[in-house]
Amino acid sequence: MTGAATVAPDARPAPPASRLPSLTGLRWVAALLVFGFHAGTMGIIAEPDHRAVVNWVFTLGLSGVQFFFILSGFVLVWSARPSDSRRAFWRRRIAKIWPSHVALWVLALLVAAWFADPVDRAVAVENLFLLQAWDPRPGAFYSINNVSWSLSCEFFFYLCLPLALPLVRRARPWALWTVVVAVPLLILALWPAQALVPEESRWWFTQIFPPVRSLEFWMGVAAAELMRRGRWRGPGLPVASLVFVAIWVVAAQWVRAELWAALLAVAYILVITAAADADVRGRPSAWRSRPMVWLGEVSFAFYLVHVLVMVTVLRLTGDWGTGFHGWWGLGAVLGFLLVNLALAAVLHRFVETPMMRLLSPRRPARATPPGGGAAAARLRPGESAPAASAVERGSPVPRPRHAEPERRPVYVDPPATAGRPRPRA
């Protein structure tokens, strides 16, 4: 969101920040948490002491999906275009997730055919169109490429957001704060509420069911809208990072599992908002480095491939269910990390990126640059606008040049400034 902003009497416009590269870097953290959790639960490491360390570090790693959901809601509201149509928004989101999903869907079916695994055709079709999270049968929501259940939830979020966004924009700050505070409490309430659901469907209800998982998404939505208006109040990135680490360690060591998701929702929203604020204000952020931004860009592809790759290799080598002994276990985990990262880079380069360019609607032409039409007039017929700036490419946002005491900015969309680059969820 850029800041040719409308400013309150006591506020100053934020530095330009069309993109939030720190949030792109944080996407890699979320993907790595999920990878570590699956590496531990798949039994890749046979050595008990080594396995215990990995399991302790990544005990809460499954919450990386929760991180994704909160981050997605935040980024989509921050990057929403005033002149955008619902159809254009939906088309961009489908172009983002569906081609890579289809590629992995086909690959997973080929692997199933190789091992002669039975495949329910109806469930496969359900999975192809990202409807599997609505099916409470255990063989349905984790079907084909089992991590794609979260895409089914995201698809539901994408359908809802353009319908709800006008209400979000008009909501009073107290209503937005109510959402932020209420979500952890509602997550806690799910544990007693699941008694109303048949026992065989309780995992699906609390962990998979899209309306339930949308709570985290709406938390990100409300926080982003508060930050746009300059109404968010939270710690800076160093303090938020320390709070996150403290919550992670305390929860893993001493807190009951029923409380994990609620506590981590608080930790994640603090880190996300602090990282976004660091980008807007031009403050230091380790998550904005070029390696972290690149890792964040391939994190979606990494998430899609990692389980299928690890399970397939373990089955081919005969180590599924037994793992690797000695230091070979940790070596195998590191090897899987690097192989999955390489395959994710290929998927991102040759499927995700080109299909987004092909299927996404074209963006409106850029606004005339400052200085009247002189700059535009220098373009010859057929020439395009200048190349993307460093901010658009994900480089650190520039620091503000003024030296006056810093005041809290109000991030409000300028009227009808279409065509600016936006962060990707």
Side-chain angles (χ1 to χ4, degrees):
M1 188 83 52
T2 54
T6 300
V7 185
D10 61 344
R12 187 178 300 279
S18 294
R19 297 189 60 174
L20 301 176
S22 292
L23 299 193
T24 303
L26 284 174
R27 286 168 53 190
W28 170 248
V29 176
L32 186 63
L33 292 177
V34 178
F35 169 83
F37 176 83
H38 285 143
T41 56
M42 285 181 185
I44 298 172
I45 303 173
E47 191 70 31
D49 292 340
H50 298 170
R51 186 171 64 247
V53 172
V54 172
N55 286 341
W56 185 85
V57 173
F58 292 103
T59 296
L60 310 179
L62 194 59
S63 69
V65 177
Q66 181 184 32
F67 200 165
F68 275 126
F69 288 166
I70 297 173
L71 186 59
S72 179
F74 186 97
V75 170
L76 290 176
V77 167
W78 180 269
S79 62
R81 306 167 184 176
S83 59
D84 207 4
S85 67
R86 294 172 183 174
R87 183 175 180 180
F89 173 85
W90 289 327
R91 185 174 167 183
R92 279 196 307 274
R93 301 322 302 167
I94 291 173
K96 167 68 176 176
I97 68 172
W98 204 60
S100 296
H101 162 65
V102 171
L104 268 295
W105 182 84
V106 171
L107 184 59
L109 289 179
L110 292 175
V111 170
W114 175 269
F115 289 112
D117 295 334
V119 176
D120 186 318
R121 292 183 181 181
V123 168
V125 172
E126 189 177 76
N127 185 288
L128 174 62
F129 292 101
L130 295 176
L131 299 173
Q132 69 271 36
W134 298 90
D135 191 336
R137 294 174 296 168
F141 55 79
Y142 283 153
S143 60
I144 316 299
N145 183 25
N146 63 5
V147 298
S148 64
W149 71 267
S150 65
L151 275 63
S152 181
C153 291
E154 286 275 7
F155 193 61
F156 170 68
F157 307 159
Y158 298 159
L159 289 174
C160 293
L161 182 60
L163 305 176
L165 191 57
L167 298 177
V168 173
R169 294 297 196 221
R170 293 196 298 266
R172 294 187 178 275
W174 67 263
L176 297 170
W177 274 112
T178 299
V179 173
V180 173
V181 173
V183 165
L185 300 177
L186 290 172
I187 292 173
L188 282 177
L190 288 174
W191 291 99
Q194 68 179 331
L196 303 174
V197 180
E199 186 172 358
E200 64 274 12
S201 298
R202 288 178 183 174
W203 175 266
W204 165 80
F205 176 73
T206 58
Q207 306 295 323
I208 307 294
F209 188 39
V212 169
R213 294 313 303 259
S214 72
L215 292 173
E216 297 138 341
F217 179 82
W218 296 117
M219 185 183 196
V221 165
E225 182 63 19
L226 284 166
M227 180 163 282
R228 279 184 69 254
R229 304 182 192 181
R231 296 301 188 95
W232 178 261
R233 301 294 183 269
L237 188 54
V239 174
S241 300
L242 290 175
V243 170
F244 166 75
V245 172
I247 290 177
W248 185 278
V249 172
V250 170
Q253 190 69 28
W254 294 292
V255 176
R256 294 168 50 188
E258 293 89 340
L259 306 178
W260 288 350
L263 286 174
L264 290 172
V266 176
Y268 290 149
I269 199 65
L270 290 178
V271 169
I272 289 168
T273 53
D277 191 62
D279 282 349
V280 169
R281 298 175 186 273
R283 291 174 175 170
S285 169
W287 312 117
R288 195 192 300 138
S289 66
R290 288 190 177 184
M292 287 302 303
V293 170
W294 181 81
L295 289 169
E297 289 174 346
V298 302
S299 63
F300 173 63
F302 179 89
Y303 174 77
L304 285 183
V305 304
H306 79 282
V307 169
L308 180 62
V309 169
M310 291 194 290
V311 171
T312 301
V313 171
L314 290 173
R315 292 180 71 180
L316 287 173
T317 60
D319 294 298
W320 176 251
T322 60
F324 298 90
H325 294 274
W327 289 97
W328 288 105
L330 291 176
V333 171
L334 179 60
F336 277 133
L337 177 65
L338 297 177
V339 168
N340 281 313
L341 193 55
L343 293 175
V346 171
L347 183 65
H348 174 73
R349 172 66 178 82
F350 294 105
V351 177
E352 183 181 339
T353 301
M355 294 307 291
M356 284 180 64
R357 290 173 180 164
L358 178 65
L359 300 177
S360 294
R362 292 187 178 183
R363 293 175 176 175
R366 291 178 180 273
T368 303
R378 288 195 294 270
L379 293 176
R380 298 175 182 175
E383 272 188 332
S384 59
S389 68
V391 172
E392 293 165 347
R393 293 194 301 269
S395 299
V397 291
R399 294 178 181 273
R401 296 182 180 179
H402 57 77
E404 294 89 354
E406 185 178 84
R407 299 180 184 179
R408 187 170 298 275
V410 177
Y411 315 115
V412 180
D413 288 323
T417 50
R420 296 182 184 273
R422 301 292 181 170
R424 292 171 292 174

